[in-house]
Amino acid sequence: MIKALRIRTTLFSLIGLMMMVFLSGCMGKSSSGAGDDYAAPADYGTVSATVADFKDIELPIDMTWNSDQSMAIKTESFNGGILSYSGRVELYSLKNFIISSMDNNKWKLVGEVQSKGFLLAFTKPNKTCMIEITEGFGGKYGSTTATLYITVDKAAAGQLNPFGEPVN
């Protein structure tokens, strides 16, 4: 019964996040404040920086966290959020950087959509990450935005072996 409740809760969380992703393309961007304890990454490398608390997601160091357009969700069994970053980075260069970086961190690219920008979908055994890349005002001379939609099912992670396979 408890396992079914966890599965149902996780399923509803993922469906809700997916709906937010699809609806965000139809609506204007809204400002949502992140919690005070959710800070921008402090440990910058020479080329890239990790995204908030997610050590396996990297963006170029030129990208800056937009706290007023981000929000985080942390519970006992679920971690995730919508995180917004922007910077003076070329659209295709950012796309290629993200695909390479995610591959290096063992994420699997499961989908890609191109319109005015890009929507990239990645998965891991207990994680999903969708990244929307768009150019702002000024085209390639303006700012590029990367909005990350991240879900981590911590309850499912405890039921996986080191290879990401379910433990019976």
Side-chain angles (χ1 to χ4, degrees), residues 1-150:
M1 179 69 177
I2 293 175
K3 186 175 180 180
L5 182 59
R6 283 186 184 164
I7 292 171
R8 210 175 304 139
T9 302
T10 302
L11 182 61
F12 282 117
S13 298
L14 288 174
I15 290 171
L17 189 59
M18 295 293 284
M19 288 177 62
M20 289 189 313
V21 169
F22 291 113
L23 291 176
S24 70
C26 300
M27 300 184 318
K29 299 281 185 201
S30 64
S31 297
S32 299
D36 293 338
D37 63 333
Y38 209 77
D43 182 37
Y44 290 104
T46 56
V47 177
S48 66
T50 58
V51 172
D53 291 340
F54 305 99
K55 304 298 182 210
D56 57 351
I57 302 174
E58 299 173 335
L59 289 174
I61 197 166
D62 298 330
M63 301 296 285
T64 304
W65 183 51
N66 303 322
S67 62
D68 61 332
Q69 296 176 348
S70 300
M71 69 176 180
I73 303 165
K74 292 183 180 183
T75 68
E76 189 176 306
S77 63
F78 180 81
N79 190 13
I82 301 171
L83 305 173
S84 176
Y85 289 80
S86 61
R88 297 208 44 170
V89 179
E90 198 272 327
L91 186 76
Y92 287 94
S93 175
L94 179 58
K95 174 194 167 214
N96 293 334
F97 178 93
I98 290 172
I99 290 173
S100 176
S101 169
M102 296 295 268
D103 185 53
N104 290 342
N105 285 298
K106 309 295 186 242
W107 287 87
K108 180 180 178 183
L109 178 63
V110 294
E112 178 180 336
V113 177
Q114 181 178 356
S115 181
K116 290 181 181 178
F118 295 98
L119 179 63
L120 306 171
F122 298 91
T123 61
K124 274 189 167 182
N126 66 320
K127 300 179 179 183
T128 61
C129 179
M130 294 197 323
I131 304 173
E132 179 185 18
I133 306 169
T134 56
E135 279 184 332
F137 179 75
K140 66 181 181 178
Y141 301 109
S143 182
T144 301
T145 301
T147 304
L148 292 82
Y149 304 88
I150 305 168

